[in-house]
Amino acid sequence: MTRGNCEVYRNVEGEKRIVRHVGSGEIFGEMGLLTRSPRTATVAALDDVTVMVITPEALEHELSHSGWLKVLIGALATRFRELDQSQAGMPASR
């Protein structure tokens, strides 16, 4: 995000639970991009927000320069998603 503030939240048993706040210079949506899995949280703008969109193709292009880095990032993202889902009481998706 290049400007603004957002909150990331989940609905757990009908209750809104804020996961984190993100601001300028921070990212969100990275897990979906890295694991190509459905989102597990919702992001809501708290004020005017400007974002930079990174497409799967752009990420693939950047990671194509290093095969091991692509594998490393993919493994870390998958493991983090599994941990995040288990802590939220959600079934793990594979």
Side-chain angles (χ1 to χ4, degrees), residues 16-34:
K16 179 179 176 179
R17 295 204 184 153
I18 296 174
V19 176
R20 70 183 49 89
H21 286 90
V22 291
S24 296
E26 296 184 273
I27 63 171
F28 59 85
E30 71 281 0
M31 294 309 296
L33 181 64
L34 293 171

Side-chain angles (χ1 to χ4, degrees), residues 9-11 31-32 37-43 81 85 90:
Y9 68 92
R10 286 194 177 121
N11 286 311
M31 294 309 296
S37 298
R39 66 180 177 81
T40 60
T42 300
V43 178
R81 179 177 284 271
Q85 288 176 336
M90 301 170 64

Side-chain angles (χ1 to χ4, degrees), residues 5-77:
N5 295 286
C6 295
E7 67 181 10
V8 181
Y9 68 92
R10 286 194 177 121
N11 286 311
V12 179
E13 298 177 2
E15 182 179 321
K16 179 179 176 179
R17 295 204 184 153
I18 296 174
V19 176
R20 70 183 49 89
H21 286 90
V22 291
S24 296
E26 296 184 273
I27 63 171
F28 59 85
E30 71 281 0
M31 294 309 296
L33 181 64
L34 293 171
T35 64
R36 298 195 181 193
S37 298
R39 66 180 177 81
T40 60
T42 300
V43 178
L46 298 175
D47 50 31
D48 290 338
V49 172
T50 304
V51 298
M52 178 176 70
V53 177
I54 301 171
T55 65
E57 296 79 19
L59 179 64
E60 182 69 33
H61 173 75
E62 291 300 318
L63 292 177
S64 68
H65 303 292
S66 175
W68 67 265
L69 183 58
K70 180 179 179 179
V71 173
L72 174 69
I73 289 174
L76 289 172

